[in-house]
Amino acid sequence: EEHRDGIDLYYAHVQLLSERDLQRGCGAEAMRYWAEEVSKGSSPAGDSRASQVKSGTHLLAMVPAPVFESPESWRIIGQVPTGVRVIAMDLPRVVEGYLMVPIVPSGAVELTLFREPERPMPEVQLPDADALKAAIDG
């Protein structure tokens, strides 16, 4: 604290979190890619690329990407090497500022570390929870 001309002045300490800055740097390019408006198939024009990711969508890792236990977890359970595909299990969602997507068979990845593959793969038809339970129960 400092006093100048009868006015109390306070010092602030600012921590720069450039690796989490989604408006500049490498994070900005990734967020632009997924926020980009695209028209694909039966989707209306104006939908973002991220909104078209659904269960069965193939995603290609652009950099080594950690696999988290769940979209809300910070516990890393694996790693996806660069160039390897994963399959989305559900819709992406923002969790604490990160665009996360659950993947098959388990876990979740940060969507901004992935892109849509240039060569399309057939969509994978995933069984729903009831079908899985029925298969396990026999």
Side-chain angles (χ1 to χ4, degrees):
E1 186 176 325
E2 185 177 315
H3 302 283
R4 196 172 283 167
D5 298 326
I7 300 173
D8 292 336
L9 302 175
Y10 297 92
Y11 292 102
H13 296 280
V14 178
Q15 181 180 8
L16 299 177
L17 300 173
S18 58
E19 68 277 0
R20 293 188 67 184
D21 186 353
L22 298 179
Q23 298 305 313
R24 292 176 284 277
C26 60
E29 187 276 325
M31 285 304 283
R32 266 194 306 275
Y33 175 84
W34 288 107
E36 183 177 77
E37 291 182 4
V38 292
S39 177
K40 189 174 180 182
S42 61
S43 298
D47 278 355
S48 72
R49 194 180 302 264
S51 70
Q52 295 182 356
V53 173
K54 62 186 185 308
S55 180
T57 300
H58 288 249
L59 302 167
L60 180 68
M62 300 306 289
V63 296
V67 178
F68 297 93
E69 197 169 50
S70 72
E72 294 80 18
S73 173
W74 288 96
R75 183 168 178 250
I76 296 173
I77 60 170
Q79 181 92 3
V80 179
T82 302
V84 172
R85 290 178 191 236
V86 297
I87 301 171
M89 188 183 332
D90 202 356
L91 304 173
R93 60 183 178 268
V94 176
V95 178
E96 294 187 33
Y98 294 94
L99 189 55
M100 303 297 291
V101 63
I103 60 170
V104 172
S106 65
V109 294
E110 187 178 351
L111 187 59
T112 55
L113 303 178
F114 292 79
R115 298 290 182 273
E116 293 176 310
E118 289 183 16
R119 290 181 306 179
M121 295 284 289
E123 289 295 315
V124 176
Q125 187 70 299
L126 299 175
D128 61 12
D130 293 332
L132 286 174
K133 188 171 178 356
I136 292 170
D137 293 340

